[in-house]
Amino acid sequence: MPYRSPVAEYKFVLDEIVGFSQVAETDTYAEATPDTVEAILTEVGRLADEVLAPLNRNGDLDPAKLENGVVRTSKGFSDGYAAITEGGWVGLAAPADHGGMGLPQTLNCAVNDLFAGSCMALGLNPLLTQGQIEALEHHAPDWMKELYLPKLISGEWSGTMNLTEPQAGSDVGALTSKAVPNGDGTYRISGQKIYISWGDHDFGGNVCHLVLARLPEAAPGTKGISLFMVPKFIPNDDGSLGDANALRVVSLEHKMGIHGSPTCVMEFSDATGWLVGEENKGMAAMFTMMNNARLGVGIQGIGIAEGAMQHAQSYALDRKQGRTPLEGKGGTGTIADFADVRRMLATMKADTFAARAIALACGVAIDMATATGDATWKTRAAFLTPIAKTFGTETGITVSEIGVQIHGGMGFIEETGAAQFSRDVRVTAIYEGTNGIQAMDMVARKMMDGGEMAVALIDEVEANAEAARADFPDLGNAVWQAAETLREATEWMVAQGELNDRFAGAVPYLMGFARVLGGHYHLKAAMAEGGDGPRTRLAKFYIDRLLPEHAGHLAHATCGADDLYAFTTEELTA
């Protein structure tokens, strides 16, 4: 089934749900006018529909290969990447003084959603480069910015992040890669990194690796880690490509999904690198890139949810099986008439909308923090980021699994393409910090303010629910009550002096918070529609059927850790 970019849906969410107009009213983003936004979404939508979506299946069936030390990408991917760079879409949110468009991250989120929904494996490449652009913009020396940023922003060069090592996993502080000073401002970088997405390709240009490594006599753990730029080819002063650097792709991982995206094992053997940021401050610099990527990964989950939903909708409207309850009553005569299939289709649609609204609200907070320098916006963006990443990816996983179920037995047969969405999206809950790590960050670091931002968001939800009560009394009351339950759970979290008690319920707390925010945004959609229309009906479905899940999540969240440690290890593993 052809992919159709949800351009109209994006316009509605931006205009009516997340308050994007306030971003466009700032001096920083004054060029993000409604006409500009519509033109960009329309053009990127055409690119996604006509160029990228036809590559998606081929990337799955004809994966990237390593041949004689060279990564060969899936057929058509090179042309697809060229189309992305020709449109200037890699640099949409990048600084204008280095060749970018300087447009809001919120709009960039929309573009990356369309890329992920049409072909996630290829769309991952510019997403990584965008993260590297932001890291260099904030931490690189001026000469490096002048040399690298124009090339990365144009897409002529691409960027990666190199964190993980075989023995370290998510414990980045356990890495052993070394950086030895040469005495001339360069360093010799040695070590092996795994899970490096788009670590190499045959698109031409340079592949620029940001690598975490440890200087001689550096402190143990994350306090002794520095960040280095280690390019595949050492650039000449004029930006042309010089000698090949001492690095190579050892192998490509054989993955569950996103087969068209080469995931590399990289080896650095006294490769030449340059310091980015200060010595032993590499984690701070890398987190700039990772925070950008975390929202981007949530967006990937939402894009896959969209693609899987459209695939399932098309099948449900085509598949005829058995006698439907609406035969002769204006039904379609297809499985879309069955109540359980309708439940699944509505769940896909409702959760995709909720996840998209949360992610774009996070994007708006990032843009407002950038444009105004206001600390409250910055705190809001930081708090929403783990929710956007986790709920976006969990929604992608759930929706793609429902898509397989709607296909029935054919969903388990690869030729239908339904399973690809489920396989492709599964990694998003793992990379850029697992969803468990996101949730622990939320209940610990993001609540160091005593829960002030969490409470501010809850207050906002309740105020909107109060305003909705006149026209939507049942829906408004349900959202308000859910927010009160969330407030009580938040107060419990803040009161726990033992962080492990918070961590034991971190994931259900985050999911409960997301459920309430989803109810809030669906209620806003009903209010914007102003009557008994499709958005109001979808809001009622979400608030009546999905929002009640928050109670179970939050009950789980406030159990503490004692019952988990009442088990012996042997009991848990027997």
Side-chain angles (χ1 to χ4, degrees):
M1 167 210 148
Y3 170 82
R4 304 183 308 275
S5 295
V7 172
E9 182 76 354
Y10 255 102
K11 282 183 54 58
F12 177 79
V13 176
L14 292 173
D15 293 345
E16 303 291 346
I17 305 301
V18 298
F20 181 73
S21 60
Q22 62 191 317
V23 175
E25 289 168 2
T26 66
D27 292 340
T28 303
Y29 297 119
E31 294 185 10
T33 63
D35 288 346
T36 297
V37 170
E38 183 171 8
I40 287 174
L41 291 176
T42 300
E43 182 60 25
V44 174
R46 182 201 60 77
L47 169 65
D49 296 353
E50 299 176 7
V51 179
L52 303 185
L55 302 176
N56 191 46
R57 191 68 179 142
N58 188 63
D60 189 53
L61 299 176
D62 178 29
K65 299 177 178 66
L66 182 62
E67 298 177 348
N68 300 318
V70 178
V71 173
R72 304 295 184 192
T73 55
S74 303
K75 183 178 179 181
F77 270 39
S78 181
D79 292 338
Y81 182 74
I84 291 172
T85 60
E86 286 167 8
W89 306 124
V90 178
L92 183 137
D97 54 356
H98 289 292
M101 298 186 195
L103 289 168
Q105 279 293 344
T106 310
L107 186 55
N108 198 42
C109 286
V111 169
N112 285 328
D113 184 335
L114 303 184
F115 287 169
S118 55
C119 186
M120 176 181 163
L122 180 55
L124 181 54
N125 183 303
L127 182 69
L128 289 162
T129 301
Q130 290 166 357
Q132 187 172 111
I133 289 167
E134 187 166 357
L136 295 182
E137 183 187 358
H138 285 87
H139 300 284
D142 288 342
W143 70 266
M144 189 180 292
K145 293 179 185 178
E146 295 297 326
L147 180 59
Y148 282 84
L149 284 179
K151 300 285 190 180
L152 291 166
I153 289 169
S154 71
E156 181 180 346
W157 294 358
S158 63
T160 74
M161 62 170 76
N162 288 245
L163 293 81
T164 309
E165 297 182 6
Q167 79 291 344
S170 296
D171 182 12
V172 180
L175 66 81
T176 59
S177 293
K178 297 178 180 179
V180 179
N182 288 321
D184 61 356
T186 66
Y187 296 79
R188 298 192 306 278
I189 310 299
S190 299
Q192 189 176 96
K193 299 287 185 177
I194 61 173
Y195 307 149
I196 309 307
S197 298
W198 284 97
D200 195 22
H201 53 72
D202 55 1
F203 297 164
N206 211 349
V207 182
C208 307
H209 301 283
L210 283 182
V211 182
L212 289 177
R214 200 177 297 280
L215 291 164
E217 301 180 5
T222 57
K223 293 182 179 180
I225 295 175
S226 301
L227 182 65
F228 300 89
M229 170 61 77
V230 189
K232 178 180 178 180
F233 296 102
I234 299 174
N236 297 313
D237 291 342
D238 62 358
S240 60
L241 299 182
D243 296 336
N245 210 343
L247 55 88
R248 69 187 182 99
V249 180
V250 176
S251 62
L252 298 185
E253 303 288 2
H254 182 64
K255 306 192 299 291
M256 177 180 177
I258 51 171
H259 296 150
S261 169
T263 302
C264 304
V265 176
M266 300 295 305
E267 184 173 82
F268 301 88
S269 304
D270 286 337
T272 301
W274 289 264
L275 183 67
V276 177
E278 300 178 34
E279 291 186 359
N280 303 319
K281 302 290 186 182
M283 285 304 295
M286 184 60 85
F287 265 116
T288 300
M289 183 174 186
M290 288 183 68
N291 280 330
N292 175 295
R294 283 170 175 168
L295 176 56
V297 169
I299 289 291
Q300 283 184 317
I302 297 161
I304 288 287
E306 180 71 41
M309 177 175 65
Q310 291 188 20
H311 205 72
Q313 289 168 339
S314 178
Y315 184 83
L317 289 171
D318 180 69
R319 175 65 169 164
K320 293 185 177 182
Q321 181 175 317
R323 185 172 182 175
T324 74
L326 294 182
E327 250 177 69
K329 302 176 184 177
T332 65
T334 67
I335 63 171
D337 289 347
F338 290 113
D340 188 57
V341 175
R342 289 192 168 212
R343 175 191 61 81
M344 290 189 284
L345 290 170
T347 298
M348 298 171 95
K349 196 173 187 70
D351 265 351
T352 301
F353 173 87
R356 184 172 280 139
I358 291 170
L360 292 186
C362 183
V364 166
I366 290 171
D367 289 329
M368 291 302 293
T370 300
T372 67
D374 188 289
T376 301
W377 280 114
K378 183 176 181 180
T379 303
R380 183 187 180 98
F383 190 84
L384 286 173
T385 295
I387 304 177
K389 192 274 185 183
T390 301
F391 191 67
T393 58
E394 294 291 346
T395 295
I397 291 168
T398 300
V399 168
S400 62
E401 287 180 349
I402 294 174
V404 172
Q405 190 70 17
I406 287 175
H407 280 75
M410 292 305 295
F412 202 66
I413 306 301
E414 285 288 353
E415 67 191 56
T416 64
Q420 182 186 344
F421 295 106
S422 189
R423 290 186 286 102
D424 284 355
V425 77
R426 187 60 186 84
V427 71
T428 61
I430 298 170
Y431 62 21
E432 307 313 330
T434 66
N435 286 355
I437 289 173
Q438 302 297 320
M440 291 194 302
D441 173 62
M442 177 183 174
V443 301
R445 190 178 321 183
K446 302 301 168 57
M447 285 189 168
M448 290 176 66
D449 61 356
E452 286 186 17
M453 180 48 63
V455 170
L457 287 168
I458 294 167
D459 289 343
E460 187 177 309
V461 171
E462 290 191 352
N464 187 67
E466 288 278 8
R469 278 174 164 162
D471 295 319
F472 304 97
D474 292 343
L475 301 184
N477 286 334
V479 172
W480 191 92
Q481 290 293 343
E484 274 298 288
T485 304
L486 178 58
R487 186 187 301 276
E488 292 170 3
T490 301
E491 291 170 352
W492 184 93
M493 278 286 172
V494 172
Q496 304 313 302
E498 175 54 60
L499 279 181
N500 214 33
D501 287 326
R502 298 190 195 186
F503 293 159
V507 170
Y509 175 75
L510 184 151
M511 293 300 290
F513 211 119
R515 272 279 170 249
V516 174
L517 287 177
H520 169 60
Y521 293 125
H522 270 288
L523 186 56
K524 290 189 74 172
M527 294 166 71
E529 187 176 56
D532 183 24
R535 294 194 182 277
T536 301
R537 288 190 283 275
L538 190 64
K540 179 173 173 54
F541 172 87
Y542 182 97
I543 292 169
D544 286 350
R545 294 174 179 259
L546 302 183
L547 178 60
E549 294 176 2
H550 81 280
H553 286 310
L554 297 176
H556 185 170
T558 55
C559 284
D562 288 349
D563 61 336
L564 300 180
Y565 292 95
F567 295 100
T568 65
T569 303
E570 290 76 13
E571 287 171 340
L572 287 175
T573 57

